[in-house]
Amino acid sequence: GKVRAPTHIISTISDDRGEEPCYAGVPMSSIVERGFGVGDVISLLWFKRSLPRYCTQFIEICIMLCADHGPCVSGAHNTIVTARAGKDLVSSLVSGLLTIGPRFGGAIDDAARYFKDAYDRGLSPYEFVEGMKKKGIRVPGIGHRIKRGDNRDKRVELLQRFAHTHFPSVKYMEYAVQVETYTLSKANNLVLNVDGAIGSLFLDLLAGSGMFTQPEIDEIVEIGYLNGLFVLARSIGLIGHTFDQKRLKQPLYRHPWEDVLYTK
Ligand code: ACO
Ligand code: LMR
């Protein structure tokens, strides 16, 4: 029989060897002819399956809502400073992307992990939040620098509204809202933020769509696919900020002395 030479790489998401490239077995012509959008392409390349329309629409809404949040946030700030130092597009982009992490934009996976664990274990919001406090861990997906109980994040509301209309179940999101009600009783800035909204709603998408087995859901949460949504989305804005600075011919940035506390 045939002896297969061992390969150095295994790949399961795309294939470029035929007449046309395929994403998870779906040829490019079919992607175009069927009017697929970026949500469908993400479904194929990340989740290796076609997801129902409401799921791909939800993915696209996440990307649109997280594409930018002004010039003052960590990512845009880094990108702007880098572009003004005369660096190229890729350097300016990655300099901004490197700020995405547990405090800024990259709390989605941990929010999903902790909300899922707490909900599945039947913890009350009080038990969950106080348990996290005892461990010295801030609740991922809760808290914001400028959003408040009386100035909520519109993006969170838009995501929640879409899910209420289209998702079969929003049990994880409802749990996250109960957690928010409790944290808001402690401090006015401890709102459910956009990372927490996406994290909890993606759990609802994974569990409610009927497209994933339980081991697959556990693997997605464990590996941490969801910060990818923010990374992808914010790249759009960071690229925009790079072009903006170049278009405006902005000079090298130097932070003003007056804004630094020089002390011993
Ligand atoms: N859980 C519990 N308590 C919190 C949380 C939280 N998530 N966030 C703030 N607090 C409390 C703490 O008691 C904190 O005191 P500490 O510094 O002793 O821990 C107190 O509020 C004051 O916190 P600040 O440092 O003033 O809050 P800040 O405005 O700097 O932080 C931040 C905002 C970074 C978002 C914070 O709330 C946090 O770490 N949240 C969790 C991570 C997260 O979800 N990040 C994504 C934000 S949305 C986005 O980036 C797109
Ligand atoms: C963002 O999307 O960048 C923000 O929620 C963070 C911020 O401080 O505005």
Side-chain angles (χ1 to χ4, degrees):
K2 276 187 188 169
V3 178
R4 182 89 172 77
T7 63
H8 292 95
I9 286 180
I10 304 175
S11 171
T12 68
I13 61 166
S14 59
D15 192 340
D16 60 316
R17 291 168 304 170
E19 214 173 72
E20 55 179 324
C22 292
Y23 292 164
V26 180
M28 211 50 72
S29 51
S30 166
I31 288 173
V32 173
E33 279 154 23
R34 290 159 70 187
F36 277 12
V38 76
D40 297 282
V41 170
I42 290 169
S43 303
L44 293 171
L45 289 177
W46 294 11
F47 299 105
K48 295 177 48 176
R49 71 204 70 192
S50 282
L51 292 174
R53 178 76 189 119
Y54 79 87
C55 297
T56 60
Q57 228 182 320
F58 178 74
I59 291 172
E60 287 173 8
I61 291 171
C62 290
I63 289 169
M64 291 188 288
L65 295 183
C66 293
D68 198 43
H69 209 235
C72 303
V73 305
S74 309
H77 184 84
N78 258 24
T79 287
I80 288 170
V81 171
T82 308
R84 289 182 55 168
K87 301 290 299 254
D88 59 287
L89 172 63
V90 176
S91 305
S92 304
L93 169 63
V94 299
S95 151
L97 288 178
L98 286 172
T99 65
I100 296 176
R103 294 182 182 168
F104 167 65
I108 310 179
D109 284 312
D110 272 346
R113 287 181 189 122
Y114 281 106
F115 284 141
K116 182 172 188 305
D117 180 67
Y119 176 89
D120 292 353
R121 286 199 293 135
L123 296 185
S124 70
Y126 169 84
E127 290 169 323
F128 171 49
V129 174
E130 295 305 325
M132 293 289 277
K133 191 171 174 189
K134 272 202 196 107
K135 285 184 246 167
I137 305 170
R138 288 183 177 193
V139 181
I142 294 287
H144 201 275
R145 292 305 296 257
I146 57 167
K147 296 296 168 189
R148 294 284 176 270
D150 48 5
N151 169 31
R152 300 292 255 278
D153 192 328
K154 188 74 186 171
R155 297 170 295 180
V156 171
E157 188 196 317
L158 290 167
L159 290 165
Q160 289 172 328
R161 207 185 302 158
F162 180 86
H164 268 301
T165 313
H166 298 279
F167 283 25
S169 153
V170 287
K171 62 180 186 179
Y172 287 109
M173 189 266 275
E174 274 168 359
Y175 182 70
V177 169
Q178 285 171 27
V179 169
E180 178 193 45
T181 306
Y182 178 67
T183 53
L184 277 177
S185 74
K186 292 166 75 88
N188 201 25
N189 69 322
L190 297 185
V191 291
L192 179 65
N193 60 43
V194 74
D195 282 13
I198 294 176
S200 56
L201 281 169
F202 226 95
L203 290 174
D204 286 319
L205 184 153
L206 293 169
S209 63
M211 300 295 295
F212 299 90
T213 63
Q214 193 55 49
E216 284 175 334
I217 295 174
D218 294 341
E219 188 184 47
I220 288 166
V221 172
E222 192 195 319
I223 290 177
Y225 285 32
L226 307 179
N227 287 343
L229 289 168
F230 193 91
V231 171
L232 181 63
R234 196 50 62 94
S235 295
I236 299 172
L238 298 178
I239 291 170
H241 283 292
T242 307
F243 295 155
D244 195 34
Q245 297 306 306
K246 304 259 179 217
R247 194 166 45 224
L248 293 165
K249 300 194 181 359
Q250 287 297 283
L252 179 67
Y253 180 80
R254 195 174 199 282
H255 202 74
W257 278 321
E258 310 83 72
D259 192 39
V260 176
L261 173 64
Y262 290 92
T263 182
K264 288 213 174 105

